[in-house]
Amino acid sequence: MKTPDLKKYADEVNKMQDLPPAPIDLPPLAAIAIISHIQLAIRHPGVADDSFTKIAIDTARQLQNLFAPTSETYKVLELGWNPEADILVPEGTEDEPWQQCEEFCDRF
């Protein structure tokens, strides 16, 4: 693969600011996946609070609004914006790949 021309890329991205929103068809499960992955990504300490991060968060919030605020899906997604609501999950074993602990355990 040829190395991209980063100046041309920057020019293309700058031009996108003037374009109208792109319509897309998105299954609800894909919306949940995108939202939860954005929530995970913005928790990474290396992700700066830059304009792309703000765009990602705004987009995820729009997708979240596809669900009724009274739905359990919306409520769970809303928890994802609050780091204090995180549930730690142990690494698990081959027999029990995923099992939550009521409190910290030696598998964390």
Side-chain angles (χ1 to χ4, degrees):
M1 181 174 148
K2 184 180 174 188
T3 304
D5 182 327
L6 297 180
K7 181 173 180 344
K8 286 182 182 178
Y9 166 72
D11 291 343
E12 289 174 4
V13 169
N14 286 332
K15 288 177 186 174
M16 288 180 201
Q17 295 179 50
D18 297 327
L19 296 176
I24 60 169
D25 289 322
L26 193 66
L29 195 55
I32 293 170
I34 292 168
I35 296 164
S36 61
H37 279 72
I38 289 172
Q39 290 171 333
L40 178 63
I42 64 172
R43 297 283 178 74
H44 189 283
V47 175
D49 189 22
D50 61 11
S51 59
F52 272 31
T53 301
K54 183 180 179 335
I55 290 169
I57 292 169
D58 289 348
T59 302
R61 287 292 198 172
Q62 287 180 47
L63 291 173
Q64 185 175 336
N65 287 329
L66 295 172
F67 303 96
T70 56
S71 72
E72 297 310 306
T73 300
Y74 185 96
K75 293 173 188 175
V76 167
L77 291 170
E78 191 61 26
L79 286 175
W81 299 111
N82 180 3
E84 294 176 11
D86 287 354
I87 299 171
L88 297 176
V89 179
E91 292 179 11
T93 64
E94 190 172 320
D95 296 330
E96 297 176 353
W98 186 84
Q99 176 185 357
Q100 291 184 3
C101 295
E102 293 299 319
E103 54 190 55
F104 288 101
C105 65
D106 60 359
R107 292 192 298 168
F108 279 103

